[in-house]
Amino acid sequence: MPDISLTMLVFLCLAAAAAGWIDAVVGGGGLLLLPAMLLGLPHVQAVQILGTNKAVAIVGTSGAAITYVRKAPVQVKTAVRIGLAALAGSMGGAFFAAGISSDVLRPVIMVVLLGVAAFVMLRPTFGTAPDADRRTVGRARMIAAIVLVGGGIGFYDGLFGPGTGTFLVLALTAVLHLDLVTASATAKIVNVCTNGGALAMFAYQGTVMWQLAALMAVFNLAGGMFGARMALRKGSEFVRGVLLVVVFSLVAKLAFDQWTT
């Protein structure tokens, strides 16, 4: 574990807890945790921060997924299928990442996110319709979910990354007509698959700070399980509000990165 002060260690653990809560509710916890780690560990290589972040995130995501599966109507088989496609997509994205400039991608993603935010705000019933009002999901739509949601967003995760969990929630809601709570639960299972693949690669490369990751993971797990329970208790309207906050935060973060670059 790197030589850091007790104050900074507490800061990182609290950031891990908050990131776990955000991830469990609507995705996007990396928006908080990665900058916190970059700030708290300025002398650590970026690849080590990324690897350690995955080791932390997979614990909180797994805890949130288990909480959701126990208490929400999640189709685990469907979620695993999408997750395996996302795993393959993320590997493909990582393969091409070296040849793509993030300076080109940031403006595109910002425009997409602003469009998403406008859509969610103009459609108050998005992700909140009762079960009886949802259309039946056919085979073609399920295949689209596996290929586009799993493979497409998984590819984006490997290629660029920020906001993957949020994109998963939105896409699952739109493609499979899930409510936002169920979409968040399904997204957690998909995230476990993608995080697991990425962590395996980072571990193979020896870029995970395991001692620090283990400590932060405890707090991330607590935040994730608490966030999942809160989302289940408060329902889709609560998730919708958090979703909009995370989307605008992501746009601001990307805009700041683009401006400083």
Side-chain angles (χ1 to χ4, degrees):
M1 189 163 68
D3 184 19
I4 57 177
S5 67
L6 178 60
T7 301
M8 187 55 66
L9 190 61
V10 171
F11 166 75
L12 291 174
C13 288
L14 291 177
W21 185 91
I22 294 171
D23 252 338
V25 176
V26 75
L31 294 173
L32 174 63
L33 188 54
L34 278 175
M37 293 181 70
L38 289 169
L39 175 65
L41 306 170
H43 302 300
V44 175
Q45 293 182 350
V47 67
Q48 290 181 292
I49 289 178
L50 290 172
T52 305
N53 173 66
K54 284 299 181 185
V56 173
I58 195 172
V59 175
T61 302
S62 298
I66 292 171
T67 301
Y68 274 123
V69 168
R70 288 177 175 175
K71 299 184 178 182
V74 183
Q75 296 181 353
V76 178
K77 186 176 180 180
T78 297
V80 171
R81 286 177 177 175
I82 297 173
L84 292 176
L87 175 60
S90 65
M91 293 175 67
F95 179 79
F96 288 103
I100 300 294
S101 172
S102 60
D103 293 337
V104 176
L105 287 176
R106 286 193 196 104
V108 176
I109 300 303
M110 282 189 284
V111 171
V112 172
L113 282 170
L114 288 173
V116 165
F119 176 80
V120 173
M121 288 190 295
L122 294 173
R123 293 283 299 275
T125 60
F126 178 72
T128 61
D131 292 344
D133 293 340
R134 296 198 197 106
R135 290 166 284 176
T136 302
V137 176
R139 180 180 177 84
R141 191 170 286 271
M142 185 60 66
I143 292 174
I146 294 173
V147 175
L148 299 178
V149 179
I153 296 180
F155 184 86
Y156 166 78
D157 191 17
L159 185 68
F160 192 50
T164 296
T166 304
F167 281 129
L168 280 172
V169 172
L170 289 167
L172 289 169
T173 303
V175 176
L176 297 182
H177 306 307
L178 302 177
D179 63 82
L180 286 170
V181 173
T182 306
S184 293
T186 306
K188 292 293 95 42
I189 297 175
V190 177
N191 271 346
V192 171
C193 295
T194 56
N195 285 340
L199 177 59
M201 180 59 68
F202 283 123
Y204 174 76
Q205 295 173 339
T207 58
V208 180
M209 297 178 288
W210 291 108
Q211 289 180 315
L212 178 61
L215 180 60
M216 293 175 64
V218 173
F219 289 84
N220 191 255
L221 175 63
M225 296 181 71
F226 179 67
R229 290 192 178 96
M230 183 176 290
L232 288 166
R233 185 172 67 252
K234 292 184 175 292
S236 293
E237 283 293 342
F238 169 73
V239 176
R240 182 174 178 271
V242 176
L243 174 64
L244 288 172
V245 172
V246 171
V247 166
F248 283 120
S249 298
L250 179 56
V251 171
K253 171 68 166 56
L254 292 173
F256 177 78
D257 289 346
Q258 184 72 12
W259 180 70
T260 53
T261 301

